[in-house]
Amino acid sequence: RTLAVPYGLANLLLMSACIFLLLHWISCFWGAIAYQRDLSPTWLTAYVSRQEGDVRDMIGDSINDPWATYNLAIYFCATQLTGVGFGDIYPVGLTEVWLSTLT
């Protein structure tokens, strides 16, 4: 017995998987750049410095948490790939601007 999947659905699933994989890779690059101390300030330090009050305290505590950084990076990359670009997270240094241009 075989599993019959319509051709259109198979293409849609494959395209979605490729987009999510690309989004993951680009987010990993952005997360890695955030931890490069010689590139200070980075998009992550700029984002934390713009926050105020309790939000800044909450985000400031998690700045060294890789999962929190990945979450912010994937948010930024998803808004960039969809063409929306909210503007609350943006590239700060020259390396980040180049990476943003390439992706």
Side-chain angles (χ1 to χ4, degrees):
R1 190 168 147 176
T2 62
L3 177 65
V5 177
Y7 182 74
L9 179 62
N11 276 342
L12 181 65
L13 292 175
L14 180 63
M15 184 180 67
S16 298
C18 289
I19 289 172
F20 283 120
L21 186 61
L22 178 66
L23 180 63
H24 166 73
W25 286 341
I26 294 171
S27 299
C28 287
F29 287 131
W30 274 101
I33 284 181
Y35 288 115
Q36 299 298 317
R37 300 294 180 213
D38 57 334
L39 298 177
S40 187
T42 65
W43 64 268
L44 186 58
T45 57
Y47 177 72
V48 171
S49 68
R50 287 192 311 273
Q51 303 305 313
E52 297 177 357
D54 293 336
V55 175
R56 184 176 186 163
D57 293 338
M58 182 179 62
I59 294 173
D61 292 340
S62 65
I63 195 170
N64 293 321
D65 179 19
W67 289 109
T69 303
Y70 177 76
N71 187 26
L72 288 172
I74 206 163
Y75 163 75
F76 169 75
C77 293
T79 57
Q80 290 297 100
L81 286 175
T82 58
V84 178
F86 294 127
D88 54 345
I89 299 176
Y90 51 85
V92 176
L94 185 60
T95 304
E96 294 174 358
V97 171
W98 278 106
L99 182 60
S100 180
T101 302
L102 292 174
T103 57

